[in-house]
Amino acid sequence: MSVVILGGNECMVRQYKSLCQSFDCSAKVFPKLGGSLKGRLGSPDLLVLFTDTISHKMVQNALNETRGGNSTIVRCRTSSMSALRDVLRQHAAV
């Protein structure tokens, strides 16, 4: 399963990726908008939006980029490891 995480803390990128690997998921993490998202997201199975650390513009760009695909989109208020773990438990088969 492929996971794209938008937002979160820059210092926790490695931890987000290792948690996704423990659920047998490959992950891309974009903690902040560094240029355009066009073509960088791909077509993930799960798109996680940490809405407390992400701009409204980045959310809109991500939703426009994944429109028409079959991605599951989850908005999460906090960007903690336990919040990500709960999302992965719900959506990723272990």
Side-chain angles (χ1 to χ4, degrees), residues 22-36:
S22 70
F23 282 88
D24 292 327
C25 299
S26 61
K28 290 182 186 177
V29 181
F30 300 99
K32 62 181 181 179
L33 183 63
S36 175

Side-chain angles (χ1 to χ4, degrees):
M1 173 179 227
S2 61
V3 178
V4 172
I5 300 171
L6 295 176
N9 298 316
E10 288 183 62
C11 61
M12 293 182 63
V13 169
R14 187 71 201 124
Q15 293 168 336
Y16 294 148
K17 287 183 179 182
S18 66
L19 180 62
C20 289
Q21 285 178 346
S22 70
F23 282 88
D24 292 327
C25 299
S26 61
K28 290 182 186 177
V29 181
F30 300 99
K32 62 181 181 179
L33 183 63
S36 175
L37 289 175
K38 192 166 200 76
R40 293 172 63 188
L41 294 182
S43 57
D45 297 318
L46 177 64
L47 176 64
V48 180
L49 302 171
F50 288 138
T51 57
D52 65 340
T53 56
I54 191 173
S55 68
H56 183 72
K57 180 181 178 181
M58 193 169 173
V59 170
Q60 291 302 316
N61 287 344
L63 293 177
N64 289 336
E65 189 70 26
T66 58
R67 182 175 290 147
N70 58 354
S71 299
T72 303
I73 300 171
V74 177
R75 294 178 190 224
C76 187
R77 177 79 178 138
T78 63
S79 57
S80 65
M81 290 295 287
S82 62
L84 180 59
R85 188 177 298 114
D86 291 340
V87 169
L88 291 173
R89 280 183 187 149
Q90 291 176 355
H91 298 282
V94 176

